[in-house]
């Protein structure tokens, strides 16, 4: 649902929200070992592509967030200050045996006294204010040019956290966020014990993503009805209609992309059938999945 979002990848696809990185930046190793550099440069590109946003969010592709709930949570924090926020994070010993940095460049290292740095995983996701992410953008090239990282780590989040620590920052960890955005799987029974308003889910299968999003839409309608303002319902209905047709346009683009991969001749006016099956993993019955999600406790109203 966020309109300004993309996935970083080695090669881009103009018809899909996939941003190619390889042509602009030097990626080390093959695609498998270059994942951490895609991660780091992708975060930089997020800022360069949308430099006027209040908040930025970095997460894994199998996460789902309830945007309304998250925006309400972020309202507790000052977007005009430098903030790096998550609901999970930890300090780790600096890996001196495998990572080398030019210490003269980082006099403000937060963790120097203990030899540690702070980071978290994409399962939790990170929020950045504009000024904080600008700090990252201003220093990431120097960090990568003067440091030796583990080539096989594939842990871009780890190095991003290391850079913020070297710059002198520490992650803000609102304690109560753990109850609503902890990285439990969408079908984990532990979710039911956490919070009545879940803002984030992890390990969400693409088919489950649809069902979960459908549930969230119904919950938003519930809240609007409770607000007893017909104008809000009217406005949201138009937004939903627009988003529906945007999804259809993206599906058209995806069909064209799959046809191209399958080397099926494609003309602008063609509807391509049959298409190769998308590799989304095991088949999930959408109707059964939606019924299962409906059976979970309903979220409260704001």
């Amino acid at each position: 649902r966020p309109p300004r979002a993309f996935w970083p990848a080695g090669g881009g696809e103009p018809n899909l929200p996939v941003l190619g990185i390889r042509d602009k930046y030097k990626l080390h190793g093959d695609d498998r070992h270059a994942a951490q550099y895609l991660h780091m440069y992708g975060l930089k590109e997020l800022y360069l592509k949308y430099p006027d946003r209040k908040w930025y969010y970095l997460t894994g592709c199998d996460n789902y967030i309830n945007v309304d709930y998250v925006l309400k949570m972020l309202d507790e924090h000052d977007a005009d200050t430098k903030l790096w926020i998550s609901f999970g994070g930890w300090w780790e010993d600096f890996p001196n045996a495998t990572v080398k940095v030019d210490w003269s460049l980082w006099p403000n290292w937060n963790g120097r006294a203990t030899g540690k740095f702070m980071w978290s995983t994409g399962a939790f996701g990170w929020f950045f204010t504009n000024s904080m992410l600008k700090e990252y953008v201003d220093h990431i090239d120097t960090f990568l040019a003067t440091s030796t990282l583990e080539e096989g780590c594939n842990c871009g989040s780890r190095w991003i956290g290391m850079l913020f620590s070297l710059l002198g920052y520490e992650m803000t960890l609102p304690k109560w966020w753990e109850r609503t955005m902890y990285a439990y799987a969408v079908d984990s029974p532990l979710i039911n014990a956490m919070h009545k308003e879940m803002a984030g889910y992890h390990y969400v299968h693409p088919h489950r993503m649809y069902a979960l999003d459908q549930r969230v839409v119904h919950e938003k309608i519930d809240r609007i009805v409770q607000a007893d303002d017909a104008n809000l319902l009217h406005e949201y209905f138009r937004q939903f209609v627009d988003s529906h047709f945007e999804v259809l346009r993206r599906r058209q683009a995806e069909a064209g992309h799959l046809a191209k991969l399958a080397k099926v001749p494609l003309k602008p006016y063609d509807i391509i059938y049959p298409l190769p099956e998308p590799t989304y993993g095991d088949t999930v019955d959408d109707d059964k999945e939606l019924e299962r999600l409906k059976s979970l406790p309903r979220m409260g109203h704001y």
Side-chain angles (χ1 to χ4, degrees):
R1 295 203 171 278
R4 300 173 184 86
F6 61 80
W7 290 282
E13 169 50 53
N15 293 317
L16 299 172
V18 177
L19 183 69
I21 299 293
R22 187 176 294 280
D23 291 341
K24 184 173 181 179
Y25 297 102
K26 178 183 177 182
L27 302 182
H28 302 256
D30 57 24
D31 284 345
R32 182 170 62 89
H33 291 118
Q36 58 192 19
Y37 296 96
L38 291 175
H39 202 159
M40 291 183 281
Y41 286 129
L43 183 58
K44 176 184 175 181
E45 284 296 307
L46 181 63
Y47 182 86
L48 296 179
K49 194 172 178 65
Y50 308 113
D52 59 347
R53 299 296 94 189
K54 280 186 177 182
W55 293 100
Y56 300 84
Y57 182 52
L58 174 68
T59 189
C61 61
D62 60 346
N63 282 26
Y64 179 93
I65 63 166
N66 186 317
V67 176
D68 287 352
Y69 290 174
V70 165
L71 290 175
K72 184 176 177 65
M73 292 157 64
L74 290 174
D75 277 345
E76 299 178 353
H77 302 277
D78 186 356
D80 293 327
T81 61
K82 290 184 178 180
L83 289 173
W84 166 28
I85 305 177
S86 183
F87 52 94
W90 51 85
W91 292 93
E92 179 180 323
D93 291 335
F94 198 94
N96 291 295
T98 55
V99 174
K100 305 298 180 184
V101 302
D102 183 347
W103 295 112
S104 66
L105 298 174
W106 316 110
N108 298 321
W109 174 23
N110 184 0
R112 184 183 301 275
T114 57
K116 296 180 181 293
F117 70 100
M118 196 175 197
W119 73 291
S120 178
T121 73
F124 296 103
W126 301 353
F127 295 92
F128 308 95
T129 56
N130 187 293
S131 57
M132 179 61 91
L133 193 54
K134 177 65 163 56
E135 188 91 354
Y136 172 87
V137 170
D138 289 343
H139 291 89
I140 182 61
D141 290 339
T142 298
F143 174 68
L144 291 177
T146 60
S147 305
T148 303
L149 306 178
E150 298 175 38
E151 290 296 326
C153 178
N154 290 334
C155 45
S157 298
R158 195 175 178 217
W159 310 138
I160 291 170
M162 180 179 290
L163 175 55
F164 277 113
S165 297
L166 292 173
L167 288 168
Y169 299 107
E170 180 175 335
M171 199 181 303
T172 298
L173 301 170
K175 188 62 179 176
W176 77 270
W177 279 30
E178 293 183 12
R179 301 196 306 275
T180 186
M181 285 192 74
Y182 205 80
Y184 288 126
V186 65
D187 54 357
S188 169
L190 293 171
I191 280 183
N192 296 337
M194 296 297 287
H195 200 273
K196 66 179 181 179
E197 294 170 342
M198 289 300 297
Y201 301 84
H202 189 216
Y203 298 125
V204 185
H205 190 288
H207 287 64
R208 292 175 178 174
M209 196 80 74
Y210 290 131
L212 182 56
D213 196 50
Q214 186 173 352
R215 176 189 174 191
V216 166
V217 168
H218 281 291
E219 288 170 346
K220 180 160 186 172
I221 293 173
D222 288 345
R223 296 196 303 276
I224 293 175
V225 170
Q226 290 288 324
D228 196 24
D229 186 339
N231 289 328
L232 290 176
L233 189 60
H234 176 264
E235 179 184 354
Y236 181 62
F237 183 73
R238 290 196 176 279
Q239 290 175 0
F240 183 80
V241 169
D242 288 343
S243 67
H244 168 73
F245 284 100
E246 176 61 23
V247 168
L248 291 180
R249 294 186 185 96
R250 291 188 181 187
R251 291 295 292 170
Q252 285 180 321
E254 185 182 63
H257 179 65
L258 291 173
K260 183 173 67 174
L261 292 178
K263 296 182 170 53
V264 176
L266 179 65
K267 298 177 182 178
Y269 50 81
D270 279 344
I271 299 176
I272 306 300
Y273 293 108
L275 291 174
E277 288 294 323
T279 56
Y280 292 156
D282 297 333
T283 301
V284 175
D285 187 313
D286 287 349
D287 291 334
K288 290 182 179 178
E289 192 64 25
L290 178 58
E291 289 304 314
R292 192 196 68 77
L293 285 170
K294 281 183 177 178
S295 69
L296 295 178
R298 299 284 286 180
M299 298 182 188
H301 302 293
Y302 286 129

